[in-house]
Amino acid sequence: MVIFLSSALLWMFRSPLKWRRMIGRIHFIGAKSLSVIVLTGAFTGMVLGLQVFHTLRKFGSEGFLGSVVALSLIRELGPVLCALMVTGRAGSALTAEIGIMRITEQIDALTVMALNPMRYLVVPTILAGLIAFPLLTAIFDVVGIYGGYLVGVKLLGVAGGTYFGEIQTYVDFEDITQGILKSLSFGLLMTWVCCYKGFHTEYGAEGVSRATTEAVVMSSVLILIWDYFLGSVLL
């Protein structure tokens, strides 16, 4: 897998890039995941607002609701949950698409036509992941913060000015940078694993099914493990 990633990174710096294919991948990974991200972001923020409000009320600190919700989403929950949702929706489809190309010998046909499969299939997908993941995570965070606002301010009575004022006070640029770094690394992990599994699919429908399952499981586990180590370094 390391050799596969190294080869993809080397081809990434060789022009010309397949811009049209990369834009298509961004649309597939990013735009088509938008509804899932908005929905999960809203309900994550609402659940977080509800649970945090009742915890803070025990200490008479309901005013910190906005900052706790925002920091939880920006530093941790936003990048991780967004990555897991995109892996489930787009990662499985990417693996299946490349796997079907493998078993129907379309990848071999690309080689015969002097088109490098790594540059034609893998490089645009990895670049698309690096672009789409931070954007989707930012949308997830913003929607989640407004979900927390809906529950905390509109339903439970926290002052709106206090909610956003505490966010402005306690959320630093460093927190946002940490979330972006996490989402970038998760985008690389997901596209790397899914492309690798698709490329090395065994022949037959059962092989595609197995590769798709392995890609989603491995990507999800690696995202959670990497999140722990990266979080430990960045704290």
Side-chain angles (χ1 to χ4, degrees), residues 125-216:
T125 304
I126 291 179
L127 286 173
L130 292 175
I131 294 171
F133 267 63
L135 294 175
L136 288 173
T137 301
I139 293 170
F140 188 102
D141 292 345
V142 171
V143 173
I145 289 170
Y146 274 97
Y149 171 86
L150 181 66
V151 171
V153 176
K154 297 297 182 183
L155 297 182
L156 300 176
V158 176
T162 304
Y163 184 88
F164 287 111
E166 292 299 314
I167 293 176
Q168 188 175 1
T169 302
Y170 288 101
V171 176
D172 298 326
F173 182 72
E174 181 184 343
D175 302 314
I176 299 171
T177 305
Q178 179 173 329
I180 292 173
L181 283 175
K182 282 187 174 183
S183 60
L184 278 170
S185 61
F186 295 158
L188 177 64
L189 270 176
M190 189 279 275
T191 51
W192 169 30
V193 172
C194 291
C195 288
Y196 175 83
K197 287 294 180 182
F199 247 73
H200 295 85
T201 299
E202 297 175 1
Y203 284 88
E206 187 181 346
V208 176
S209 173
R210 189 184 302 118
T212 303
T213 304
E214 288 176 358
V216 173

Side-chain angles (χ1 to χ4, degrees), residues 6 8 18 37 53 59 73 94 102 140 149 159 174 192 233:
S6 302
K18 302 294 181 184
I37 294 305
F53 175 83
F59 305 98
L73 287 167
L94 288 171
R102 168 62 72 191
F140 188 102
Y149 171 86
E174 181 184 343
W192 169 30
V233 172

